Amino acid sequence: LRRARDAFKNAMRPLFAACLFAPNASSFDALAATDEVLQSHRATARDVAARSFALLKNDGDLLPLRRNSTIALIGPAATAQAQLVGPITIGPCVSANGGYKGSYSCVRTLNDSLRDYAATVLYAPGVENFTSPSEALIADAVAAAQRADVVVLALGAGLETVDEKEDLTSLELPGAQAALARAVAAAGTPTVAVLVMGNPYAVDSWAANVSAVLDVFVPGTAGADAVAAS
């Protein structure tokens, strides 16, 4: 019983520290979301995200990316929104009805952020989604990689593999992502693998053949902007 009580205190302590149980605490849905507040919070979120990244490899100083380059953006995490925030969330953005729950509309994707950063972005999904086993789109992704100065290979895990009730059957990246990574790396274009994932995955079957590996974990609402500037 003592251990259970201690565990409960550890779980509740940060909630009380955040004043969530204060008599005058506001409903989350009632919080004002002015442009000034959002810009300030976004700047903080970007800084926190950048500080959390782990640069696992950077051969030839490929990172930071060059602003005047043509980038091939490939992979299922390229257009992800909810995956950047993670499964344990009610949605961080103001929705059409004025509340927050379930809206990810304010979360910029890697595709959004890189288009503000690079001269040209060639987007190719490479796979149908995070878990699809189909390799039908890989050839188009390789073609995009061959036309670019650098590849940003955005891989990782969808919400269906990182939630608390989900189990993994393999340490390989879900679906056809490992096959996609091997094929794109073989194209010969300098490649940065950006890993968006809340679980550890094995990348040894292809990581040696890419120039850089950046693990961004679950980077939050401004994670894509932080990646573009990395």
Side-chain angles (χ1 to χ4, degrees):
L1 181 60
R2 182 177 59 82
R3 292 178 61 187
R5 186 182 296 112
D6 290 342
F8 177 77
K9 288 180 179 179
N10 289 337
M12 299 304 291
R13 189 175 290 113
L15 303 183
F16 277 95
C19 300
L20 295 183
F21 297 101
N24 60 345
S26 299
S27 167
F28 190 66
D29 284 346
L31 291 177
T34 64
D35 287 342
E36 182 178 357
V37 169
L38 290 176
Q39 289 174 9
S40 173
H41 288 187
R42 187 166 192 85
T44 300
R46 173 175 167 170
D47 180 61
V48 170
R51 290 170 181 265
S52 73
F53 296 168
L55 182 59
L56 305 179
K57 181 180 181 181
N58 193 23
D59 292 350
D61 294 329
L62 188 57
L63 292 175
L65 297 169
R66 278 55 170 177
R67 279 191 172 272
N68 61 349
S69 58
T70 295
I71 295 176
L73 177 59
I74 297 169
T79 56
Q81 289 180 296
Q83 290 83 357
L84 298 181
V85 181
I88 313 300
T89 177
I90 61 174
C93 312
V94 179
S95 61
N97 62 7
Y100 285 78
K101 295 181 179 178
S103 176
Y104 298 89
S105 59
C106 68
V107 180
R108 285 166 58 81
T109 67
L110 285 172
N111 199 17
D112 297 328
S113 298
L114 286 175
R115 289 184 186 280
D116 289 344
Y117 191 87
T120 304
V121 174
L122 309 174
Y123 167 63
V127 291
E128 294 177 3
N129 53 53
F130 284 97
T131 58
S132 172
S134 173
E135 300 183 10
L137 301 178
I138 291 180
D140 289 341
V142 170
Q146 292 171 334
R147 294 163 51 204
D149 300 318
V150 62
V151 174
V152 173
L153 186 58
L155 307 173
L159 299 184
E160 64 273 18
T161 61
V162 298
D163 205 351
E164 57 195 16
K165 64 183 182 299
E166 306 296 342
D167 293 321
L168 298 176
T169 58
S170 170
L171 289 180
E172 286 284 342
L173 284 166
Q177 291 185 78
L180 172 65
R182 289 190 290 268
V184 169
T189 303
T191 297
V192 179
V194 176
L195 305 178
V196 179
M197 56 191 193
N199 297 327
Y201 286 98
V203 298
D204 51 308
S205 69
W206 53 266
N209 298 321
V210 300
S211 300
V213 179
L214 182 67
D215 193 345
V216 304
F217 304 101
V218 182
T221 54
D225 288 343
V227 170
S230 295

